[in-house]
């Protein structure tokens, strides 16, 4: 056990975590690095150049004639995948904190660092990209010292591109990070920190052994679900899975036990022996709280059961996704899914399409609200259609977040305006170092859900970094905005919005839908309404045949007679015709600006 080190790499997005991981794998001769970001094995990760999943891999390294086993977990940097990071941190004793020499400490760096400190991890600060012409290693060193209070000599300067500083990182991992502690003789306790679905072998769970050991063929049970299995195969994770006869205390590996049902494996569960079980489960992770809710519906209603199975398999691999069944008048049966943010929602949609061939429609995302009725009862509402009658509501509370934005001082004006437009309040601002400012805002979560992150990046030319935590619920003046097509409400397009924004939002929505809904044989009235009050209207004119073409000469009343006849036909058509809303219209509402 003294020869094992478990550590993860944490950093802000794009600070070079996966590149440093490549260099570490190359230096320890674990694999031949043939292309960039070897651990990002999903097509989506390669295309977008971001890490979506945490990836665990084992390396062997010799130092002073001793052979060490290093278990590395590469983690995502985007705020939407912070749950992946918290799970990886729970399986480690130390963390390599990577900071970009050209950008310095960013919001997500701080947030991931605090997460690691809460778990008492040993932190190894590394400054990456020091070979870049724009690098400012001395200034960044000052920022790191101010942030974690370490000595200047503890900070390693490295470059993921040239491989400089990689041996020093490996030495620091061995010297500074403590080995795992546990009792090899105690009953087995292993924490599941991830799982994947394999169509041939069932569900494969990744675990870290805290106490005891597990052998191939053992009868094991999962503590929280109480299900019992045979350990058909246990082993360690290299680029592929490598079977082992036994896994000891402190080791990280995988177990295959022929589990077919996705509900039976819970990330954060404890594995123990049937014959000699442990007394209590390992305290896993805090329950993940979804921030953004949206309805996901199959395009073909017959695919409903397939969509359920696909979501369950996806949930195995992405524990921060939650879903429950719901139905909509416009779209039929589907699921209300909870996501950590908009990027997370986009990735889930994309993965459903690629990995499971599921074509889905996603409704307008919204957050959860607390609705208080006149009797004093409270109810959490995730969906505008779940709101009680307006006359029954006493008041509605919406979630507020504590947002931290780190930016260059030149962009403060634009960022302040953006946050204040989103009904934000400035709590404090402080200079971090030199020309960099840290701003703290209280903003309603509903305002940042749709386009806040994109706007922040464009205002600050990509320099500002953003991180947030849910703070509290506050009373707010909210209105339910309905969209009516020919007087019929389309429930998938209704949203909850603040009273001040309702009229402009309703108007913009009507204009957008006018562009996107194809013309029919009859007029279509698009209306935005709050309760019974119509606040905006657009009309899509009908496609008409020129019925007066054959009528030339003579009195005008002959023309009028033909037009009146046509008008009657159109009116009759309107009564039986229904309007199909194209998928593009649902998506366009998300990107209204």
């Amino acid at each position: 056990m003294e020869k094992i080190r478990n550590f993860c790499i944490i950093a802000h997005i794009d600070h070079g975590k996966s590149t440093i991981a490549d260099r570490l794998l190359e230096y320890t001769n674990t694999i031949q690095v043939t292309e960039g970001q070897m651990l990002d094995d999903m097509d989506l990760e390669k295309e977008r150049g971001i890490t979506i999943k945490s990836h665990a891999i084992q390396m062997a390294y010799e130092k002073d004639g001793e052979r060490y086993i290093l278990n590395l977990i590469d983690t995502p940097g985007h705020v939407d995948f912070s749950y992946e990071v918290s799970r990886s941190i729970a399986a480690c004793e130390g963390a390599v904190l990577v900071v970009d020499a050209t950008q310095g400490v960013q919001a997500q760096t701080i947030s991931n660092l605090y997460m690691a400190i809460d778990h008492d991890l040993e932190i190894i600060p590394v400054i990456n990209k020091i070979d870049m012409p724009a690098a400012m290693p001395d200034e960044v060193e000052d920022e790191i010292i101010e942030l974690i209070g370490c000595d200047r000599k503890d900070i390693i300067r490295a470059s993921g591109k040239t491989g400089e500083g990689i041996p020093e990182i490996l030495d620091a991992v061995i010297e500074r990070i403590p080995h795992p502690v546990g009792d090899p003789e105690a009953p087995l306790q292993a924490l599941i920190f991830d799982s994947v679905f394999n169509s041939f072998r069932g569900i494969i769970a990744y675990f870290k052994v805290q106490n005891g050991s597990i052998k191939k063929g053992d009868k094991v049970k999962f503590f929280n679900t109480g299900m019992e299995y045979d350990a058909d195969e246990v082993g360690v994770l290299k680029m592929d899975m490598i079977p082992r006869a036994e896994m000891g205390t402190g080791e990280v590996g995988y177990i295959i036990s022929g589990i077919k049902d996705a509900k039976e494996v819970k990330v954060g569960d404890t594995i123990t022996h049937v014959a000699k079980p442990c007394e209590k489960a390992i305290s896993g992770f805090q329950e993940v709280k979804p921030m953004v809710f949206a309805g996901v519906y199959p395009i073909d209603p017959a695919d409903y059961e397939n969509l359920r199975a696909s979501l369950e398999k996806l949930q195995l691999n992405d524990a921060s996704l939650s879903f429950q069944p719901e139905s909509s008048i416009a779209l039929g049966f589907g699921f209300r899914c909870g996501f950590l943010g908009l990027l997370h929602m986009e990735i889930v949609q994309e993965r459903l399409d690629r990995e499971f061939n599921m074509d889905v429609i996603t409704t307008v995302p919204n957050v959860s609200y607390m609705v208080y009725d006149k009797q004093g009862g409270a109810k959490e509402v995730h969906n505008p259609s779940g709101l009680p009658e307006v006359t029954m509501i006493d008041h509605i509370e919406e979630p507020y977040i504590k947002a931290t934005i780190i930016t260059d001082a030149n962009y403060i004006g634009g960022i302040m305006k953006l946050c204040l437009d989103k009904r934000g309040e400035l709590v404090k601002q402080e200079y971090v170092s030199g020309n960099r400012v840290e701003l703290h805002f209280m903003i309603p979560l509903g305002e940042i859900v749709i386009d806040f992150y994109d706007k922040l990046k464009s205002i600050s030319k990509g320099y500002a970094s953003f991180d947030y935590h849910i703070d509290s619920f506050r009373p707010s003046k909210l209105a339910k905005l309905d969209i009516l097509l020919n007087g019929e409400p389309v429930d998938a397009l209704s949203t909850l919005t603040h009273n001040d924004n309702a009229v402009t939002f309703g108007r913009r929505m009507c204009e957008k839908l006018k562009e996107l809904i194809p013309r029919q044989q009859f007029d279509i009235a698009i209306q935005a309404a709050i309760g019974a009050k119509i606040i905006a209207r657009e009309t899509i004119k009908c496609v008409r045949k020129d019925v007066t073409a054959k009528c030339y000469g003579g009195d005008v009343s002959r023309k009028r007679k033909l037009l009146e006849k046509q008008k009657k036909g159109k009116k009759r058509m309107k009564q039986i015709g229904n309007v199909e809303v194209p998928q593009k219209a649902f998506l366009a509402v998300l990107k209204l600006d």
Side-chain angles (χ1 to χ4, degrees):
M1 207 156 66
E2 280 71 45
K3 301 285 179 283
I4 299 176
R5 299 287 183 275
N6 298 320
F7 70 103
C8 58
I9 302 185
I10 54 177
H12 188 76
I13 191 166
D14 267 350
H15 279 200
K17 293 175 296 301
S18 301
T19 315
I20 282 196
D22 281 356
R23 293 292 86 73
L24 292 170
L25 295 173
E26 204 168 47
Y27 192 80
T28 53
N29 294 324
T30 308
I31 50 168
Q32 284 304 117
V33 175
T34 49
E35 54 180 332
Q37 282 83 23
M38 292 293 286
L39 292 179
D40 291 352
D41 50 7
M42 219 186 291
D43 290 343
L44 254 169
E45 293 180 313
K46 288 184 174 137
E47 278 168 31
R48 290 172 177 245
I50 57 175
T51 305
I52 294 168
K53 286 288 304 159
S54 296
H55 300 277
I57 190 163
Q58 192 179 85
M59 310 181 283
Y61 182 58
E62 269 195 26
K63 182 177 189 292
D64 307 334
E66 299 274 1
R67 188 167 180 275
Y68 291 89
I69 295 288
L70 310 179
N71 288 310
L72 152 75
I73 303 182
D74 177 28
T75 63
H78 196 283
V79 59
D80 279 14
F81 305 114
S82 54
Y83 189 60
E84 286 286 323
V85 184
S86 76
R87 298 199 335 244
S88 310
I89 284 174
C92 296
E93 282 82 34
V96 173
L97 177 75
V98 178
V99 181
D100 188 329
T102 60
Q103 295 183 2
V105 172
Q106 306 270 301
Q108 206 52 38
T109 316
I110 296 174
S111 135
N112 288 343
L113 170 73
Y114 286 161
M115 218 187 291
I117 291 173
D118 285 347
H119 281 79
D120 295 333
L121 298 199
E122 181 62 41
I123 308 289
I124 299 175
V126 173
I127 297 181
N128 188 23
K129 306 191 189 178
I130 57 162
D131 57 312
M132 302 275 279
M136 320 168 287
D138 297 335
E139 290 90 326
V140 176
E141 259 183 21
D142 295 339
E143 287 180 21
I144 294 175
I145 291 167
E146 199 173 307
L147 185 64
I148 52 179
C150 60
D151 288 341
R152 197 173 285 275
K153 63 176 190 306
D154 292 343
I155 301 173
I156 300 169
R157 294 187 179 192
S159 162
K161 198 168 170 186
T162 62
E164 189 182 331
I166 297 299
E168 287 85 339
I169 295 176
L170 286 163
D171 290 346
V173 165
I174 289 167
E175 287 158 14
R176 297 191 218 165
I177 292 178
H179 61 77
V181 286
D183 181 356
E185 302 307 316
L188 169 70
Q189 268 187 317
L191 175 74
I192 299 177
F193 65 90
D194 203 356
S195 54
V196 295
F197 181 79
N198 181 314
S199 45
F200 300 107
R201 314 203 60 180
I203 291 157
I204 303 168
Y206 297 162
F207 63 84
K208 177 195 175 190
V209 184
Q210 303 277 49
N211 292 308
S213 62
I214 180 169
K215 296 186 182 69
K216 182 181 175 177
D218 280 355
K219 271 202 96 59
V220 294
K221 80 167 182 178
F222 288 15
F223 205 92
N224 291 341
T225 55
M227 306 293 282
E228 300 183 1
Y229 308 101
D230 290 319
D232 299 336
E233 187 182 303
V234 293
V236 295
L237 298 153
K238 297 256 176 133
M239 261 335 242
D240 299 316
M241 294 184 284
I242 296 177
R244 284 270 184 87
E246 181 177 9
M247 301 283 292
T249 308
E251 292 200 82
V252 173
Y254 69 91
I255 176 169
I256 297 177
S257 44
I259 306 169
K260 289 282 180 281
D261 189 357
K263 291 192 193 72
E264 293 172 25
V265 180
K266 290 270 182 291
V267 166
D269 203 348
T270 303
I271 305 175
T272 186
H273 282 132
V274 173
K276 194 171 124 187
C278 56
E279 286 164 23
K280 63 181 202 323
I282 303 167
S283 57
F285 325 100
Q286 75 280 23
E287 269 299 298
V288 59
K289 277 198 122 92
M291 303 286 176
V292 177
F293 296 87
V296 172
Y297 294 87
I299 285 180
D300 178 2
D303 284 340
Y304 177 71
E305 281 305 323
N306 294 351
L307 179 59
R308 182 198 293 274
S310 305
L311 282 168
E312 279 174 2
K313 287 173 190 169
L314 198 54
Q315 198 177 29
L316 272 178
N317 196 235
D318 180 354
S320 50
L321 171 70
S322 59
F323 63 92
Q324 60 198 58
E326 73 162 2
S327 64
S328 140
I329 305 162
L331 300 169
F333 291 100
F335 295 92
R336 189 98 201 140
C337 297
F339 307 98
L340 294 185
L342 273 191
L343 177 69
H344 184 209
M345 173 173 138
E346 209 176 305
I347 296 291
V348 166
Q349 214 175 328
E350 197 59 24
R351 286 182 71 182
L352 280 172
D353 181 30
R354 292 185 183 204
E355 293 169 32
F356 306 101
N357 287 333
M358 291 301 309
D359 278 343
V360 293
I361 292 179
T362 314
T363 63
V364 183
N366 58 307
V367 300
S368 56
Y369 296 95
M370 292 301 291
V371 179
Y372 292 86
D373 57 29
K374 300 237 167 103
Q375 283 78 38
K379 163 182 173 191
E380 195 171 347
V381 173
H382 300 313
N383 191 349
S385 60
L387 271 187
E389 286 298 313
V390 184
T391 49
M392 304 294 291
I393 299 173
D394 181 48
H395 68 280
I396 302 178
E397 291 188 354
E398 65 175 335
Y400 268 70
I401 57 163
K402 234 187 205 134
T404 308
I405 297 171
I406 296 184
T407 175
D408 205 291
N410 307 333
Y411 306 117
I412 289 186
I415 290 172
M416 289 259 197
K417 182 177 183 308
L418 171 69
C419 294
L420 296 173
D421 286 350
K422 296 280 186 191
R423 299 190 285 129
E425 301 160 19
L426 180 64
V427 179
K428 66 172 179 184
Q429 89 181 56
E430 51 196 11
Y431 279 80
V432 187
S433 67
N435 200 24
R436 314 249 323 283
V437 185
E438 190 174 335
L439 302 168
H440 295 266
F441 280 96
M442 293 292 283
I443 308 179
L445 179 61
E447 294 284 344
I448 68 156
V449 159
I450 291 186
D451 54 1
F452 180 80
Y453 197 67
D454 303 346
K455 281 186 170 169
L456 179 69
K457 284 291 181 198
S458 53
I459 287 172
S460 65
K461 300 194 170 56
Y463 274 110
S465 58
F466 171 68
D467 183 44
Y468 63 88
H469 300 282
I470 285 287
D471 185 68
S472 57
F473 279 82
R474 298 188 186 180
S476 183
K477 281 186 169 170
L478 296 168
K480 181 186 172 196
L481 182 72
D482 285 314
I483 296 293
L484 314 173
L485 292 182
N486 281 343
E488 291 291 319
V490 181
D491 57 354
L493 288 176
S494 57
T495 48
L496 267 175
T497 175
H498 195 263
N499 272 1
D500 302 348
N501 308 341
V503 176
T504 48
F505 187 66
R507 196 168 290 144
R508 291 213 320 261
M509 233 158 143
C510 290
E511 285 163 7
K512 195 79 193 167
L513 287 171
K514 184 179 179 180
E515 291 168 27
L516 292 167
I517 295 177
R519 288 170 72 185
Q520 307 276 353
Q521 295 279 348
F522 49 88
D523 282 0
I524 304 170
I526 305 170
Q527 293 164 313
I530 294 175
K533 183 183 171 194
I534 304 290
I535 54 170
R537 170 178 172 137
E538 293 285 336
T539 309
I540 300 176
K541 285 300 197 191
C542 57
V543 189
R544 303 175 55 154
K545 179 180 165 193
D546 185 2
V547 285
T548 58
K550 63 176 192 276
C551 170
Y552 50 93
D555 189 11
V556 74
S557 58
R558 288 177 60 198
K559 272 188 183 170
R560 198 161 293 136
K561 188 173 154 197
L562 289 167
L563 288 168
E564 286 299 323
K565 192 174 164 193
Q566 184 187 30
K567 209 185 213 172
K568 269 188 199 150
K570 295 279 180 209
K571 195 172 171 188
R572 198 161 53 242
M573 220 183 259
K574 186 172 182 173
Q575 285 164 356
I576 56 164
N578 62 345
V579 186
E580 286 291 315
V581 183
Q583 162 76 3
K584 276 202 309 240
F586 291 110
L587 295 177
V589 173
L590 309 186
K591 303 192 170 72
L592 263 181
D593 290 302

